[in-house]
Amino acid sequence: MKNQPRYDPASESGGPHTTEPLTASIDGANGASDLQHELDARLNPGKTGASETDAPTANVAQSNPSRIPLRFVKAAAGIAIVAVFGWLPLRALLQTSSVEAIVNSRLVTLRSPIDGKISSGAGLSGDPGIVAEGTLILRVVNTRGDHVRLDDLRSQMSRLENERPSLVSKIASARAAQKDLARQAALFTEGRIRQLEARIAEIQASIEAAAARREEAAAAVERALSLIKSGSVSSVELGRLTRDQTIALQTEIGARRRLDATQVELTAARDGTFLGDSYNDRPSSVQREEEMRQRAEGLTADLAHAEAQIAWLAGEIESERSRYVGRSEAELKFPVAGRVWEILTAAGEDVRAGQPLVRLLDCSGAVVTANVTESVYNSLQLGSVAHFRPSAGGPELAGTVVNLTGSAGAPANLAINPDALSKEPYRATISVPALNNGSNNCPVGRTGRVIFSADSARGP
């Protein structure tokens, strides 16, 4: 070990060497080889055993032609390393790709539908990840909502509902009175018919009596006419008998006329019409029964109208209550599955109708926004095949070019404005279905590169 050469940095810089073995090893045409061997010995102390035992033997080995293949192997390895590490940047330069690319998504802006005060919802709890569609995020409460019409409708409903039992009671009372008057009218009609029947029987008896007197008077006149020729009956007596005969005949005729009139009254009474000189065609009981029936029908119509009004008011009250609830309280929910991007308000803040409150990421519509050079842009077309390569590593994600905006203004509803990609002014939008399957947790803002397929980038 005492003959081990010491490492001197000056030897690498071309300065003077102080160790004798190192000076002795550099000689003639093998000087460069000996220097390399010496450096290997300094850097690898474990391999210095052979040098310690026999330095002249090592020098002879270095000059041996068998060391030449080793040099070629080292040179080939160096060339391979340079080729491998140099090909990757060269391939990247030869590929048709974007300059910059970033995962983007549409923004959904939720605005306040009413005036009111903000009440925090479950969607602002700060839990990470994608929030399901329909999750409550904010509640807006307006304690000063106008409910005058709702109160007026409820007042009308209460009034009609209070009148309804009274109408029902009045109808029942009118029905009972009508029933009683109808019974009285029926009794009156029955009695009037019996009365007329009895009067007819009386008139018929009077007719029979008048007929008998007429026959008797006729017989007396005939006897007087037979006796007047003999002078037994005077002409005065014959005139009296003739007058009695005429009176008896007229009495019979009058009785028959009364019978006809009474039969007309009986027929009318049986039909419900009463004829007479001292009363109307209908008795007072019948008239009162008719009035009570009309009153009951009117009360029934009023009750039906009240019930119709109650039903209409019930619908109006429900509709107005819904409108009042909509004006006094509103719930804002996630319209799509996504996550909160920006909160523009705070709990307890007074807001106005139409004021933006929250911006949400629509994670079902994630895309990749890329800017490209002019030459690449001109070679692209809608439907071109592309692959997004994330900067953080991982597999490439297949996609399709869905929009080419060039240097025009980019859509304003994206989470990250494409104008932020400022290296090149030409922009393209790539749809990547793998970003929308829910497994990437809506990775908006992640960067990478877009590699365009050579066939699709060549254009039609």
Side-chain angles (χ1 to χ4, degrees):
M1 294 297 293
K2 63 181 180 179
N3 295 328
Q4 180 178 357
R6 290 178 300 174
Y7 175 74
D8 188 359
S11 62
E12 296 183 358
S13 61
H17 303 285
T18 57
T19 57
E20 295 178 358
L22 181 59
T23 304
S25 63
I26 302 174
D27 184 24
N30 296 329
S33 176
D34 295 337
L35 178 59
Q36 180 66 35
H37 177 71
E38 185 69 19
L39 290 175
D40 291 340
R42 302 300 184 182
L43 295 176
N44 300 287
K47 296 181 180 181
T48 58
S51 299
E52 292 176 357
T53 56
D54 193 7
T57 305
N59 293 334
V60 175
Q62 290 177 359
S63 62
N64 195 326
S66 62
R67 300 290 294 177
I68 296 177
L70 180 60
R71 295 175 184 177
F72 282 108
V73 172
K74 292 182 178 181
I79 293 173
I81 292 173
V82 171
V84 170
F85 287 98
W87 169 249
L88 295 178
L90 181 61
R91 187 183 65 173
L93 291 175
L94 295 177
Q95 284 179 334
T96 303
S97 63
S98 65
V99 178
E100 294 175 286
I102 192 169
V103 178
N104 218 334
S105 180
R106 292 188 299 269
L107 283 179
V108 178
T109 301
L110 300 183
R111 301 178 182 272
S112 176
I114 61 172
D115 298 343
K117 183 175 291 187
I118 294 296
S119 175
S120 181
L124 297 181
S125 59
D127 295 336
I130 298 177
V131 182
E133 179 181 351
T135 302
L136 176 65
I137 180 172
L138 285 177
R139 182 181 286 108
V140 183
V141 180
N142 184 8
T143 58
R144 297 183 295 273
D146 184 11
H147 52 82
V148 175
R149 174 169 169 75
L150 181 60
D151 294 341
D152 182 60
L153 292 174
R154 286 175 175 172
S155 176
Q156 295 182 34
M157 172 74 82
S158 299
R159 179 176 58 80
L160 290 175
E161 288 180 345
N162 292 334
E163 290 179 356
R164 182 177 177 180
S166 176
L167 290 174
V168 173
S169 177
K170 290 179 180 179
I171 290 173
S173 177
R175 295 293 186 192
Q178 178 191 1
K179 185 177 181 180
D180 184 64
L181 290 173
R183 182 180 60 81
Q184 293 181 13
L187 293 175
F188 177 82
T189 301
E190 183 180 358
R192 182 61 176 170
I193 290 173
R194 288 199 302 266
Q195 181 186 15
L196 292 173
E197 289 175 348
R199 186 178 295 175
I200 288 173
E202 180 186 358
I203 292 173
Q204 287 176 348
S206 299
I207 290 173
E208 291 177 358
R213 284 193 297 271
R214 177 182 56 78
E215 291 176 355
E216 182 181 0
V221 170
E222 289 179 358
R223 285 193 304 269
L225 289 175
S226 63
L227 294 176
I228 198 171
K229 295 178 180 180
S230 61
S232 300
V233 177
S234 63
S235 57
V236 175
E237 183 66 19
L238 178 61
R240 186 185 65 78
L241 292 175
T242 302
R243 184 181 69 252
D244 291 343
Q245 181 184 10
T246 302
I247 292 173
L249 178 60
Q250 295 299 325
T251 301
E252 181 183 2
I253 294 172
R256 292 186 182 279
R257 295 292 183 272
R258 289 196 306 273
L259 177 62
D260 294 339
T262 304
Q263 287 179 344
V264 170
E265 289 186 29
L266 178 61
T267 302
R270 287 172 177 172
D271 292 338
T273 302
F274 300 91
L275 304 178
D277 296 334
S278 60
Y279 50 82
N280 297 323
D281 59 341
R282 308 186 73 179
S284 60
S285 60
V286 175
Q287 293 178 7
R288 290 180 60 195
E289 188 270 337
E290 181 66 22
E291 292 175 356
M292 195 60 62
R293 183 183 63 81
Q294 293 178 357
R295 182 183 179 187
E297 290 178 353
L299 291 173
T300 303
D302 292 341
L303 177 61
H305 177 70
E307 290 179 344
Q309 285 290 105
I310 290 174
W312 178 80
L313 285 173
E316 285 294 307
I317 288 174
E318 182 62 25
S319 177
E320 184 63 24
R321 189 189 67 82
S322 299
R323 285 194 293 269
Y324 171 72
V325 171
R327 292 190 301 263
S328 61
E329 182 175 344
E331 293 184 348
L332 277 71
K333 299 181 179 180
F334 275 77
V336 294
R339 60 186 177 92
V340 177
W341 180 256
E342 185 178 8
I343 301 175
L344 305 175
T345 185
E349 179 182 355
D350 290 327
V351 296
R352 305 292 295 177
Q355 178 178 339
L357 303 179
V358 181
R359 289 192 176 94
L360 308 175
L361 278 179
D362 181 8
C363 292
S364 63
V367 295
V368 173
T369 302
N371 65 350
V372 296
T373 61
E374 182 178 1
S375 60
V376 173
Y377 178 81
N378 290 329
S379 66
L380 296 178
Q381 59 180 340
L382 295 179
S384 297
V385 178
H387 293 81
F388 175 66
R389 181 180 298 170
S391 298
E396 292 185 354
L397 305 178
T400 306
V401 177
V402 295
N403 196 12
L404 296 171
T405 58
S407 58
N413 66 329
L414 292 176
I416 300 175
N417 196 322
D419 290 338
L421 305 179
S422 58
K423 292 184 178 181
E424 291 290 342
Y426 299 93
R427 303 177 183 87
T429 302
I430 296 89
S431 173
V432 182
L435 295 175
N436 302 320
N437 60 5
S439 61
N440 290 312
N441 197 22
C442 201
V444 173
R446 301 299 177 88
T447 60
R449 292 178 61 220
V450 176
I451 311 300
F452 300 101
S453 174
D455 294 337
S456 61
R458 193 175 298 120

